Each structure stands twice: as C-alpha cells, then as structure tokens.
Amino acid sequence: MISTQKQDVNSKEKDKKVIKCVVWDLDNTIWYGILLEDEKVSLRENIVNLIQTLDNRGIIQSIASKNEHATAIAKLEEFGLKEYFLYPQINWNSKAASIKEVAKLVNIGMDAIAFIDDQLFELEEVKFSLPEILCINADEIGNILDMPVMNPRFITEDSRIRRLMYVSDIERQNAEKEFVGTADEFLATLNMNFTISFAKEEDLQRAEELTLRTNQLNTTGYTYSYDELNHFRQSENHKLLIASLEDKYGSYGKIGLVMIQCHPKSWTIKLLLMSCRVMSRGVGTIMLNHIMGLAQSSNVRLLAEFVPNDRNRMMYISYKFAGFKEIDHNGNSVIFENDLSRIQPVPSYVNFQVIA
C-alpha cells in the first residue's frame, strides 16, 4: 500500500531543483561578439539546437541583456530565434533587475530560473542579489542539456507546447488590459471550456509533472510519482481527478489535479493544485464546488488537508472562501471541513463539462 501521508520535506522529487525558465545574456553568450561594437556577430556553435531542445522539453526562455532593444530584437529575428524568448529584458538595467522582471511576468519562483552569461561580474551580481538563481557561465553551455535540472522525467504534450501557451497568455493579458468592463464581463468574452475527468493512464505523466512544477497554487506540496498516481487512479479508496481548460485564444492544457482519499463516511482532499496561469479564471472555485457536490451526493463528510508554506497562501484563502472551516491541526497540517451547505453554481461564462 502506498501511503498518502507523503510530506513535502521528505520528498526526493521535491528536493530536486527543477528549472522552468532559462534566462540568456546575448553578447558573447548566444552570439560571439558585441552587437553595438562589432561589425558582425555570429551565433555560438550549437546554440540553435540548445535553444530548440530546451523549448521542446517545456523549459521556457527569456533574455537579460544590456543592449539596445530594437537592434538586439532585430538581430534575434535575423537569426530566427526571436520567437523562442518570452518577455525579453533588453535594456540598461542590472541583470538582477531584469531577471526579477522576467520572474514576475512569467509568474515563477526565483529557484526555478537559470541565468547564463559570459561575464563573471554579471554572474556574481545576480548570485549575490538573487541567491536562489542557478548561474551558469557561458563557457559551460555545451553541458547544459545533460544537467539533471534541465531534464524533466517526462516530456508531455503540455511540455512541447508550453511556450505557445504562454504566447496565448500574452494575447489574453493584452486583451484584458484593453477591455472596458468588469472582470466577469471580460471572462465572458473568452468562451472558456473547463473539463474535469477521472485521470486516465495517459494523463499520469502530466499529473506527475504538475505535482513537481506547481508550487504556488498547491494545497499541500505533496509530490507523487507516476507509479504512485497510477495506484491512486486504480484504487477504490481514492479519486484522482484532472482538469483542463481552453478558450478562444487556445488551450491552457492540463491545469489542475485533485487527489481525494475516500473512507466510507468521509473523504479527505489530500492534494488540490492549479497552474498559476489560470489563477484569475475562477476555475479553482469550480473544481472545489464540483468536489463538494460529489461528496454531498455520496452522503459523506468532506475534509481537506492543507500544509502552509511561503508560497501557497492563496490556496488557504480559496478553501476559506469556499466555506471550509479549520477543525484540527496535525503537525504542520491544517485540517478543514466543509459542511456542504453552500455549493455555488458554475458561472454562466464557463462551459463546464464532467467526463466520466
């Protein structure tokens, strides 16, 4: 029997640093030469393969370069590389400031970022200001594809299209900035389709990836391997649900996971997580209310386990807003219960589907 009492601090998978974003310098890093001084710059050998391989692995990429923005962007376009970089920071700010801006825009933690530069001064400045960052000297570029932190265990369909999903997010954000009206009115324009289903075997690679990659909107921080998730999927004492979302701009992919431990008279939500890319779409509330409805129809108590950390305060608030009340503490875990007296309907602006 596989225990569901897996603690974040004891999880080997959690201890392994996972790089989600590589931030590149330009001069003498992606290309040889200094763009604003040399007549001609040339791409570093094998750099196109490195960038494309990281992209295929689902590792997003950006730029922190002290350069003239329009000139550098034009050179990247000439080399056929511009499309691979999200939120490029090409300016005269410090590299640390540029990396912080990338982290904010991509909405990931500093410990999930690697920075590559040829200048020891720049690497030291970033390491001093942002010690969580993995700093890599450009001389070591040839080795990065073999680094464990750059090698996710599975490359899922969501991994392969991750950059394109971020590009869609940028389109949505721009549309939202220009929209005149309420948040709900804007959401109604997106034509969202939200789907929840019991996880199938083909979902498990992405499910494992979600437990490893999702830190902010994660109620417990527990991580589970493919084999453990497969056990829960087949167990009569567990429910493993996975959620996906799409709208008129494209697919968000598989963005949510729930694991419920089921006893005859009570259910406990052991894990509830959502991709931070859907934080403002309201689908977390829909998922919680769906679980509450399942528990009510099964005539069981609904409990939920929450393990606080420095990133997941939003999930605590989500439980409270959904009517969960603290009833107990177990070590560093909070135990919630919902009396199932207030289950909210699905908002009219979402097409919600449950697939058996």
Side-chain angles (χ1 to χ4, degrees), residues 25 64-66 93-99 115 117 122 125-126:
D25 174 43
S65 172
K66 292 177 180 177
N93 299 336
S94 73
K95 298 291 180 72
S98 290
I99 292 169
F115 171 55
D117 200 300
E122 301 288 9
E125 185 259 339
V126 168

Side-chain angles (χ1 to χ4, degrees), residues 246-259:
E246 61 180 34
D247 66 16
K248 68 180 183 181
Y249 291 99
S251 174
Y252 294 79
K254 299 284 195 311
I255 46 78
L257 189 69
V258 183
M259 201 273 283

Side-chain angles (χ1 to χ4, degrees), residues 176-191:
E176 190 166 9
K177 287 175 187 173
E178 296 171 5
F179 185 81
V180 178
T182 67
D184 281 3
E185 287 170 340
F186 171 72
L187 292 175
T189 70
L190 294 178
N191 302 327

Side-chain angles (χ1 to χ4, degrees), residues 206-221:
R206 174 57 178 160
E208 179 186 298
E209 183 181 49
L210 277 168
T211 74
L212 290 169
R213 290 179 60 94
T214 308
N215 300 309
Q216 296 179 55
L217 302 185
N218 186 326
T219 55
T220 57

Side-chain angles (χ1 to χ4, degrees), residues 34 41 78 112 115 118 120 141 145 150 152 157-158 166 186 206 222 240 245 252 273 275 285 287 326:
I34 299 175
V41 298
E78 177 188 324
F115 171 55
D118 66 300
L120 286 177
I141 281 178
L145 293 182
M150 304 285 187
E157 183 57 32
D158 286 61
Y166 271 95
F186 171 72
R206 174 57 178 160
Y222 297 162
L240 186 66
L245 181 67
Y252 294 79
L273 62 82
S275 168
T285 301
M287 180 176 272
E326 292 185 35

